[in-house]
Amino acid sequence: MSDKPITNSKEFTNAAVDAAIKIALIFIMVIWCFKIIQPFIMPILWGGIIAIALYPVVLFVSKKSHLSVSKTSLMITLLALALLLVPTFLFSGVLVSSTQDFIAEIHNGTLTIPAPKTSVAEWPIIGESLYEFWADASADLQDFIQKYAEEIKSFSTSAASAVGSFSLTVLQFLISIIIAGVFMGKASGSSQMFHKVSVRLAGKHGEEFSDLAVATVRSVVNGVIGVAFIQSILAGVGLAAVGVPAAGIWMLLVLIFAIIQLPPILVLGPIIAYVFSVESSTTATIFMIWSILVSASDTFLKPMLMGRGVDIPMLVILLGAIGGMLLSGIVGLFVGAVVLALSYKLFSAWLVVETAEVDDEELSVTDTTTE
């Protein structure tokens, strides 16, 4: 009888060591796979969001054109790539040529800056400083460049870094659109896999949560990102109409501010002041009214596009957008808002389900006690 505990002890030790080795190997494989796929996590996530948002369009076009879903997905993916790449190439070409012309004019001494109007000095807070700065640049550009050489160098470095970051963002969007095309072309298999994972994680409520996830993604994309794009385009129309320089950059800022739930008037306000200083009062007033309407348009666009049955607090979207941007740049700006809003809805649904189950159990106990 003395040998039995020893044997059991050895078996237990062997089993524990065997289990520890297997768990360690699984852990190593998981970490290894994560490291391999880590650079593609954001593009895959963003690609999934794009696919969920565009798939109803794919089904609509497929039904009207009598093409297969895979062919329609390929067509829409190529269209999305064209919408991304063509403006990027045009913007890059204009940026390069404008920079070359700017540098050439500086070297040749032909670059001139118009003198500011005296009304600029009357602007609140920054008026006098801006007027003096602008007047110095207009009076003697070469002396101005030498005087602010360090500041110009620092600005040039920051601008070059911003251009590099923009190029990386375009590449990420390019990969995301291609991934979205694959998801849409294989929608049936992707949907089944998503449902299986949801059921595995959430049990009998998994399919309900997966349907809710898809609905939430589409609602957030339409109600937040869609409205932001509309406001950005409307702002760009106004900026182009009055001839504001670098309208594309201001449109991008309007887009970012709208997504993080800040009013676009914060971007358009200083531009309104600039337009009043260079254009007639009538033109500037019309642009001001247009800018106010663009900034306030989300009050009626968002209820129209957000969809019924999806109520997400603006604070959730704001935190998601800012946190995502700090974590992953411009792509995270979109992904963060969607992911946090989705998590909020899933958590709320989980709370409702769990509370209902607890209430049912308490009611059953009460009925048993009464009997």
Side-chain angles (χ1 to χ4, degrees):
M1 294 182 62
S2 61
D3 293 339
K4 191 172 182 179
I6 297 176
T7 303
N8 290 341
S9 177
K10 288 181 178 180
E11 291 177 355
F12 175 79
T13 302
N14 292 336
V17 171
D18 183 65
I21 292 174
K22 290 178 179 179
I23 293 173
L25 288 175
I26 294 174
F27 181 76
I28 291 172
M29 290 298 296
V30 170
I31 296 298
W32 201 350
C33 291
F34 175 77
K35 290 295 183 181
I36 292 172
I37 203 173
Q38 187 176 10
F40 303 99
I41 289 178
M42 277 299 168
I44 290 173
L45 188 57
W46 184 226
I49 291 170
I50 295 174
I52 291 173
L54 290 182
Y55 191 63
V57 179
V58 171
L59 293 179
F60 177 80
V61 175
S62 177
K63 183 178 179 180
K64 294 295 182 180
S65 62
H66 302 290
L67 294 173
S68 65
V69 173
S70 59
K71 291 181 179 178
T72 307
S73 300
L74 177 61
M75 181 178 65
I76 290 181
T77 300
L78 293 176
L79 178 61
L81 290 174
L83 292 174
L84 174 67
L85 293 177
V86 172
T88 300
F89 283 133
L90 294 176
F91 173 77
S92 301
V94 171
L95 180 64
V96 171
S97 61
S98 301
T99 303
Q100 291 175 343
D101 295 341
F102 179 75
I103 294 175
E105 289 180 355
I106 291 178
H107 283 301
N108 297 332
T110 58
L111 180 64
T112 58
I113 297 177
K117 294 184 178 181
T118 54
S119 59
V120 175
E122 300 175 359
W123 292 1
I125 302 175
I126 63 171
E128 293 184 3
S129 301
L130 179 60
Y131 180 82
E132 294 178 1
F133 186 81
W134 192 344
D136 288 343
S138 175
D140 190 343
L141 184 59
Q142 295 296 332
D143 181 66
F144 175 83
I145 292 175
Q146 293 178 358
K147 182 178 179 181
Y148 295 97
E150 290 297 327
E151 288 80 357
I152 294 174
K153 182 179 178 181
S154 177
F155 174 78
S156 301
T157 303
S158 301
S161 176
V163 171
S165 177
F166 175 76
S167 302
L168 181 60
T169 299
V170 171
L171 178 61
Q172 288 180 320
F173 271 111
L174 181 67
I175 297 173
S176 299
I177 291 173
I178 295 174
I179 293 173
V182 175
F183 284 155
M184 290 187 294
K186 305 292 183 181
S188 178
S190 300
S191 177
Q192 290 178 5
M193 178 61 69
F194 185 55
H195 280 291
K196 288 180 180 179
V197 172
S198 300
V199 171
R200 182 66 176 171
L201 293 175
K204 62 180 181 179
H205 303 294
E207 188 171 352
E208 177 187 352
F209 283 0
S210 65
D211 293 337
L212 179 61
V214 172
T216 304
V217 168
R218 287 177 181 159
S219 296
V220 173
V221 169
N222 292 335
V224 177
I225 300 177
V227 171
F229 269 111
I230 292 174
Q231 288 182 307
S232 175
I233 292 172
L234 292 177
V237 170
L239 293 169
V242 296
V244 175
I249 296 176
W250 303 121
M251 286 178 63
L252 179 60
L253 287 176
V254 168
L255 178 67
I256 293 173
F257 273 59
I259 289 175
I260 64 176
Q261 303 305 297
L262 293 177
I265 197 66
L266 295 177
V267 177
L268 299 174
I271 300 176
I272 293 173
Y274 165 78
V275 173
F276 267 103
S277 68
V278 298
E279 298 289 344
S280 64
S281 299
T282 302
T283 301
T285 301
I286 293 174
F287 176 73
M288 180 182 67
I289 295 173
W290 177 261
S291 299
I292 293 173
L293 290 175
V294 168
S295 185
S297 61
D298 64 334
T299 56
F300 61 88
L301 286 175
K302 199 163 290 181
M304 292 170 54
L305 298 178
M306 198 72 169
R308 294 181 300 175
V310 179
D311 184 19
I312 302 170
M314 292 304 159
L315 180 60
V316 173
I317 299 171
L318 176 64
L319 292 176
I322 296 176
M325 182 173 62
L326 294 175
L327 180 65
S328 307
I330 189 67
V331 175
L333 185 68
F334 296 92
V335 176
V338 172
V339 169
L340 200 62
L342 173 59
S343 301
Y344 171 83
K345 292 302 297 181
L346 291 177
F347 181 70
S348 299
W350 175 77
L351 284 180
V352 171
V353 171
E354 292 299 317
T355 302
E357 291 181 351
V358 171
D359 291 341
D360 291 340
E361 291 178 0
E362 291 179 351
L363 181 61
S364 176
V365 171
T366 303
D367 292 340
T368 303
T369 304
T370 304
E371 293 176 359

